[in-house]
Each structure stands twice: as C-alpha cells, then as structure tokens.
Amino acid sequence: MSPLGTVWEIARREIRERGRSKAFLATTVITLLIVVGLIVLPNVLGGDTSEYTVASVGEGNEAIVDAAELLGNATDEPEDEPSVSISIDPVEERDAAETALDEGDVDAILVNGEEVVVVSVGGFGDSPLLGLLQRGAASVELEAVVAESGQVAADVIDVMTSDPLETTTLTGPEAGDESRGAIAYAGLMLLYLAVLIYGTWILSGVTEEKSNRVVEVLLSSIKPWQLLAGKILGIGALGLSQFAGTIAVAIIAVQVTGAAELPSLNAAAVLNLLLWFILGFLLFAVMFGAAGSLVSRMEDANNVAFPMSMIAVAGFFVSLEALREPDGLAAIIGTFIPFTAPFVVPVRAALDSIPLWQYLAAIVITVGTIISLVFVAGRIYAGALLRYGGRVKVREAWRSVSE
Amino acid sequence: MLSLTDLHKKYGEVVALDGCTFGVARGEILGFLGPNGAGKTTAMRTIFGLVVPERGQVSWDGEPISADLKRRFGYMPEQRGLYPKMKIHDQLSYLGRLRGMPAKAAAAAANAWLERFGLAERRLDPLEALSHGNQQRVQLAAAMVHDPELLVLDEPFSGLDPIAAETMSDILREQAVAGKAVVFSSHQLDLVEDLCEEVAIINAGAIVVEGNVRRLKDAAPIRHLELEIEGDVGHLLDTLEGIRQVDSDGTRRTVIIDAATDVREFIARAQEVGRLRHFAYTSPSLSDLFREAVR
C-alpha cells in the first residue's frame, strides 16, 4: 500500500469509529439544538406584546399614556401584534400607588400629568416604559402648543416618528465596510472555536491511542507521521463537517426566521476565509497532535493543551486589534508570525488593507511552518509514543529518535 | 532469515543493548530468554524500527528492514493494546488493511482467525466486552491476520492458563511448520524447552548463549544431579568436587556440577552412607543453562 493509502486508511477509521460513537452523535445533536434554539427562540418570544400597567394619581395622565402607547407602536407593521400595551390603574392616594409599585403590581406611577415615579433596578434592565412616558408627555405638551393650528396629537406623533428624508445608499468600499468587518469577525470566531474544540479532539485521540497501548501495534507496521497525518485528517474532516453542518443549519434557521440579515458574500471573500481557516486549523492540529503524544493518560492531556490554547487566544486578540486597525503595527507583525497569521491575515484581507505581497508572504510562511511542524511533531510523536509514565519532555522525545 | 547484528542502544546512562547479535531462520522457533531488564523488549522493538539502535543492523534475508518489509512481519508487544470500543472483526481487518491486504482478503482473514479461536459469534462485539483470555486471543490474531513471514511475540504466554498456553504452543508450531520464522520471549523455561529447538539467552544487553537446545545441553560444562539418600547428605556432598549450586527440597538435593567431575566413585560412597533412594545424572535442563548463563 502506498504511504498515502495508509494515511487514508487511518483517517477512515477515525471517521467511522468516531462518527458512530455516542459521544459524537450526542454533541452534534446538542450543538444543533442549542444553535437553532438561540436563533429561533428570541424570534418566537420577541413577537409578544410588552404589557405595562401605570398607576394614575390625579388628573391629566390618560393623554400621556395614550401618546406613549402610540409612540411605542409607531414602527409596527399593521399586521403585527402591537409591541406595547399600557393599561391605566386609577389610584386615589399616592401612598397606595407607591405600595403597589413596591410590590410590583404596577410598573410606574403618573401623578397629575407632572411627575412619574419608577423603581430603580440598579442600572440594569431599565424598562423602555419610562422613555415612552417621557416622550408621550412631551408630545402632549407639543400638542397643546400646536393646538391652535388645529393639528391633533396623532398627526404630531406621525411627524415625530417619520423619516422625512429620503435615504439613498451608495454601494462601494466605504459603504460595505461594516458588513466586511462582520464577516471577518465571524470567520475569526469560527476559526478560534474550531481550533480549540477540534484541536482538543485530536489531542485526546492521540493520547487515547497511547493510553490503550494500541500504538505499539500500529507503529510496528506504519510510520509515526502516517499515524499523525491520518488522525489529523480523519478527526479534522469529521469535526469540520460537524462544524460546517452546524453553520449551515444556523444560516438556514436565520433565513427561515428572519432573525438577522445575512451579509452578502462574494466568492473571493469566502475563498479567503476558507483558505485561512484550513491553514490555521492544520497548523494547530499538528501541534495538538504532537502534544497529545507527550502524555500517557487522558487526565494529563489538558496540561499539555494549555500552551496551544494560549497561542490561539493570543492570535485571537492580535486579530481583534487588526480588526480595529488593519494597517496598524500589531496587524503587520501578526501577518508575519505563522501562529497569528491565520487569525490576522483574513481580517486584513476582508477589510482590503493588506498589500498582495504581504498576503502571499503570509501564505508561504504559514505553509512552510506547517510542513516543518509536521516533521518536528512527527519526530516528537515518534519519540514520545512508546514512553509511558509521566509527561515526556519535548527535548527527551526529540532526542530519543536518532535518525 | 532474520538477523540482528551487533546492536547497541543506550537510554541515557542505562545500557539496554550491548552488542546483541542473534538470528532466526524460516521454519524455526527461537525462544528468546533473559532476566528482566536484560534487553529483550528493546531488541524486539529494533526489528520494527520502534527503537533505533545507535549501532548495528537488523536485516531480513540480508536486506535492511524497510517500511514495506515491516508489513510482512507480525508483532505482539508485551504491553497488549487494541481499541477497546472497536468491534473485534473491524479491528482485525483494519490491521490487515494497514499491512497492505486488500479489503476483502483482510475481512476474510479476520473471520478465519475469529473462527479458529471460537470467537466467530462475537465478531461484532467491542473488544472490551470480551474476557481477558479472549482479548489475548484477539491480540494474537492481530499479529497474524496478514499471514506474516516473521512472527515476533513479546511474552506471549504471560497470563495464559495451561489450556490457552497449549493452544498458543500449537499455533506457534503450526506457523513454524508453514515456514514462518518465529521469535518469542518468555520466562516459562519448561514451556520454552518443550516448544523450541533454538534458544538465545540475553543478559545485560548481549547474547550469552545461543543455539540448538539439545546441543547446548550436551556441550554444557555442567551436569544436573539429583540425589535422595537416607543419612548425612551434607557430609557426603562435601566429598564431591566441582559443585556449582545445591538446592534442597526436603530430603532431595538438586546439584549443578562440573561436567568433568567423575560421579561413579561418588555413587559408591553414597551407597556406603545410607540407602540411595533416588539418583539421576543428566544433562542440564534449560533452566540450569539459563541460571548458569545469567549468573
């Protein structure tokens, strides 16, 4: 069998055995449920009407509440449920109304159309009711001012909530920047997640083979680099299809529910993201694989994953900086460091702020690093796989293979 | 023919192999013996490139061991290991394919071995569902599924009950008869004596005894003497020259003695001391040779 045929055989076993495992099926289903839930639920819940009750003490409150309700529903489409519904609860005494407010029976108190009483919630979750009542009161006053010219409150509110200026949006680099940034940011998050999730899979997959000692049987027939490459390709392919499936389901859910507007993508942008996604994933996968060979027990796997996770976190932060200032020093330095390039370069490219030569240089550096890492990792892997007990030091593993 | 020639390997300051040289021909079963830590596992690992020696060569029919050649060998490591959650049939046919068998042939070979071990009905069970003994059988099948020309087994008898050990012996004999070269390490010397015509004994990384068991015994500079007598044995033994070792089991003494010593006079003296109940003078057993070699 050809050397690559062996790699494929190993990759295929990973895909088949792992793909059939309960753990894989369970995480896939749970992830999909969470993603769909996060997208669909707010949409379902968001359709409901916000209901408020206002205690009315004294005179002159009804007009304010009516105006507030109109304002709250001003942007609704005619067929929608109203967004806001405010009911009035007349109360004789202010003290009684305050008791009701304390107990949560009413959401606010209006006193003689001149004062509004609300409960402080410590700065969090201030309800929009206060704003609506203030603006309602303002429009009532405005109505009084314009009463002589015969306008009615509803017309006033119409004018206040309309967009009188016709809007013309120009397409072009300036106008599109926001959605490009969003795409770059999304790509970045996805790479970061994929590296951490599936990198850990590869790491534990390697440690597992070492801990159940099957590795000695395998290595009596095949070469360490074939085993490492097969595991990375197999687990990578399985993990990334789970990942792609989740993203596809998320996109469908978003489109069906209309929860958000998806930015339009062009082929170049997709290719750019995909290229760097694969490069970044391979780079980290090779490192995770080598790290997994250093320990014999699953319990120790987390310790050796730590340095890689830190590198990924660092790459992520440098790329956030690149998103803020794509021509900045951090972005330029990050472009030429192979461990940050997969995070930084796609962001700069998406924002059109990377010279072609830098883009190409980054590809060369990253691909070169991946290839050298395969050999370095392969040797560490070969040297460490048959050493059991505690954690094998990288240097020891390196030295124990003399070729 | 497998040849290991002048292998040297150090782990830091620890010398694992120190000029280790031995060979095994097709159709031969070689018992590879040595005390713990003598270098048996290290030597076996060098055959598969799992350990790369600093010096020396391993060859098969005069050729250095290449990646392709390795696939024609079968190995059962001392530390048993397969995938616990993988079905045993899938596991065996996977290993067959890894060693270059076409998928169909690998699946058929996996079935044949499971049949042979009485595990045909459990072919879809994961390894972890099997008893310890059955897991050992699958492990052996894993080493042989691709019908290797050379079989290297590290402690194949450890942990086997007498019946399973008998099956293992039968299989190794069968493989040798079919023209395979077989090497295995063991501490069960009686079993090795029973099974092997050839042995190699390693001590401190070097082979100290190698060759045909029969000839080694005959050529050994020692003899095995068993003696049971009514009377004062201690005094009697003092009169015997060239004693290397004495073990006692009740009234019976087992003595390792120089081959040059003439025991005929001794028998006469023994009969004077008391009634001679048991007397045996034989070539040394393998275990005598072993103890003599690694002392």
Side-chain angles (χ1 to χ4, degrees):
Chain A
M1 185 163 34
S2 72
L4 290 180
T6 305
V7 171
W8 162 238
E9 199 62 65
I10 293 159
R12 211 168 63 130
R13 194 203 79 87
E14 292 295 336
I15 294 169
R16 287 184 51 176
E17 293 298 317
R18 213 167 265 272
R20 279 197 296 219
S21 72
K22 288 195 188 84
F24 175 77
L25 297 175
T27 56
T28 307
V29 170
I30 291 170
T31 313
L32 285 179
L33 285 179
I34 291 175
V35 165
V36 171
L38 283 178
I39 294 168
V40 172
L41 275 186
N43 208 269
V44 173
L45 298 177
D48 284 355
T49 306
S50 308
E51 291 182 12
Y52 303 106
T53 306
V54 173
S56 165
V57 180
E59 302 291 316
N61 300 323
E62 286 80 1
I64 294 175
V65 170
D66 287 349
E69 204 173 54
L70 274 172
L71 279 166
N73 297 327
T75 54
D76 288 354
E77 300 291 332
E79 70 271 17
D80 286 349
E81 296 252 311
S83 306
V84 179
S85 155
I86 308 174
S87 52
I88 295 181
D89 181 10
V91 180
E92 291 288 321
E93 297 292 325
R94 180 177 174 142
D95 286 350
E98 281 184 11
T99 309
L101 182 63
D102 263 347
E103 288 169 0
D105 294 338
V106 299
D107 300 294
I109 308 168
L110 278 172
V111 186
N112 295 326
E114 287 168 348
E115 187 189 355
V116 60
V117 184
V118 290
V119 172
S120 162
V121 287
F124 293 104
D126 269 352
S127 90
L129 179 62
L130 180 60
L132 287 176
L133 290 174
Q134 289 286 18
R135 282 162 57 208
S139 65
V140 170
E141 268 184 45
L142 190 60
E143 186 191 356
V145 172
V146 298
E148 280 157 32
S149 63
Q151 296 243 36
V152 292
D155 293 338
V156 173
I157 288 166
D158 266 353
V159 172
M160 284 171 71
T161 57
S162 67
D163 290 336
L165 298 178
E166 192 182 327
T167 311
T168 309
T169 307
L170 294 176
T171 51
E174 294 295 314
D177 259 2
E178 205 166 310
S179 87
R180 284 153 168 264
I183 294 167
Y185 183 73
L188 198 64
M189 278 306 293
L190 293 180
L191 172 61
Y192 179 70
L193 283 177
V195 161
L196 290 188
I197 298 172
Y198 303 114
T200 312
W201 281 20
I202 288 169
L203 178 113
S204 63
V206 169
T207 306
E208 192 187 0
E209 258 170 19
K210 197 174 165 184
S211 76
N212 62 31
R213 311 227 176 208
V214 71
V215 71
E216 195 169 355
V217 173
L218 297 175
L219 292 188
S220 71
S221 307
I222 61 172
K223 294 192 163 162
W225 74 262
Q226 292 172 320
L227 185 57
L228 180 61
K231 288 199 85 78
I232 289 174
L233 290 181
I235 298 178
L238 188 70
L240 295 186
S241 27
Q242 184 192 50
F243 205 59
T246 310
I247 294 170
V249 167
I251 290 175
I252 292 170
V254 165
Q255 273 177 341
V256 168
T257 60
E261 253 178 71
L262 292 174
S264 61
L265 288 170
N266 61 39
V270 173
L271 273 182
N272 172 47
L273 283 182
L274 205 61
L275 169 73
W276 283 99
F277 187 89
I278 291 170
L279 288 180
F281 181 78
L282 282 179
L283 183 78
F284 280 90
V286 171
M287 290 195 290
F288 273 104
S293 70
L294 296 175
V295 292
S296 338
R297 294 179 310 157
M298 300 299 281
E299 297 85 31
D300 299 329
N302 283 335
N303 295 331
V304 289
F306 184 71
M308 259 82 62
S309 307
M310 286 319 290
I311 293 172
V313 169
F316 184 66
F317 278 110
V318 175
S319 70
L320 286 184
E321 188 59 26
L323 198 60
R324 202 176 60 79
E325 199 183 349
D327 297 318
L329 186 63
I332 291 171
I333 293 174
T335 301
F336 296 106
I337 298 174
F339 304 104
T340 49
F343 296 99
V344 172
V345 176
V347 168
R348 294 185 66 197
L351 298 177
D352 260 348
S353 23
I354 182 167
L356 183 65
W357 74 268
Q358 286 190 12
Y359 190 83
L360 295 178
I363 291 180
V364 170
I365 290 172
T366 309
V367 171
T369 307
I370 291 171
I371 292 171
S372 349
L373 267 181
V374 168
F375 285 101
V376 172
R379 181 159 167 175
I380 292 173
Y381 193 71
L385 276 181
L386 293 180
R387 296 183 150 220
Y388 288 97
R391 179 174 165 179
V392 182
K393 292 201 180 77
V394 173
R395 225 148 46 116
E396 268 173 43
W398 178 264
R399 281 192 188 150
S400 72
V401 182
S402 39
E403 282 177 320
Chain B
M1 165 106 190
L2 173 76
S3 307
L4 288 78
T5 315
D6 195 29
L7 299 178
H8 290 260
K9 176 72 188 177
K10 266 192 221 164
Y11 292 110
E13 291 303 301
V14 183
V15 178
L17 294 178
D18 187 17
C20 175
T21 302
F22 68 94
V24 53
R26 289 167 202 264
E28 204 173 89
I29 304 179
L30 177 79
F32 189 34
L33 315 175
N36 291 329
K40 295 189 298 290
T41 297
T42 305
M44 291 178 143
R45 283 178 170 178
T46 61
I47 300 170
F48 297 90
L50 295 168
V51 168
V52 182
E54 281 113 32
R55 200 138 65 78
Q57 300 89 41
V58 182
S59 65
W60 176 248
D61 293 341
E63 268 181 65
I65 311 294
S66 65
D68 283 335
L69 206 48
K70 252 170 48 166
R71 295 209 164 99
R72 285 150 49 192
F73 300 167
Y75 178 46
M76 178 156 136
E78 183 182 12
Q79 299 285 355
R80 314 284 190 255
L82 290 171
Y83 294 104
K85 296 192 189 306
M86 196 170 173
K87 293 170 186 159
I88 56 177
H89 175 266
D90 288 357
Q91 191 135 217
L92 293 178
S93 58
Y94 169 66
L95 289 169
R97 290 197 303 277
L98 272 191
R99 290 147 182 170
M101 293 176 92
K104 273 190 183 169
N111 276 333
W113 277 109
L114 291 177
E115 186 85 34
R116 164 87 200 253
F117 287 130
L119 291 170
E121 279 171 17
R122 311 203 58 180
R123 57 193 289 276
L124 298 182
D125 284 358
L127 183 80
E128 62 186 359
L130 269 55
S131 69
H132 179 71
N134 281 337
Q135 291 194 16
Q136 289 265 26
R137 291 188 177 97
V138 177
Q139 189 83 43
L140 179 63
M144 299 192 297
V145 64
H146 55 305
D147 197 24
E149 296 169 39
L150 167 71
L151 205 48
V152 179
L153 311 169
D154 201 348
E155 302 278 354
F157 291 99
S158 87
L160 296 190
D161 65 39
I163 311 283
E166 196 51 50
T167 316
M168 175 70 77
S169 296
D170 289 346
I171 286 171
L172 297 191
R173 274 195 203 99
E174 236 171 62
Q175 294 288 312
V177 167
K180 313 295 171 57
V182 179
V183 192
F184 73 95
S185 66
S186 181
H187 289 298
Q188 279 141 289
L189 298 174
D190 45 343
L191 220 148
V192 173
E193 190 161 9
D194 197 35
L195 186 60
C196 303
E197 289 185 0
E198 306 289 322
V199 291
I201 300 176
I202 186 171
N203 193 29
I207 300 295
V208 287
V209 170
E210 187 193 7
N212 179 281
V213 180
R214 180 85 261 139
R215 280 198 294 273
L216 284 173
K217 284 180 174 181
D218 292 345
I222 51 171
R223 290 294 177 263
H224 183 106
L225 186 71
E226 277 174 30
L227 183 68
E228 199 171 344
I229 198 164
E230 284 172 358
D232 186 0
V233 186
H235 256 76
L236 182 67
L237 285 177
D238 285 345
T239 67
L240 199 57
E241 278 176 16
I243 291 184
R244 300 204 176 189
Q245 197 183 329
V246 180
D247 288 321
S248 33
D249 176 16
T251 54
R252 182 169 292 196
R253 297 287 187 280
T254 304
V255 183
I256 301 298
I257 190 170
D258 280 348
T261 306
D262 191 337
V263 294
R264 277 170 299 184
E265 270 182 49
F266 176 76
I267 297 171
R269 278 201 302 278
Q271 277 166 330
E272 284 166 20
V273 173
R275 200 159 72 90
L276 196 56
R277 279 209 208 131
H278 173 81
F279 184 87
Y281 179 78
T282 57
S283 16
S285 68
L286 184 56
S287 103
D288 296 331
L289 288 181
F290 179 83
R291 271 187 288 181
E292 197 57 29
V294 303
R295 201 152 55 168

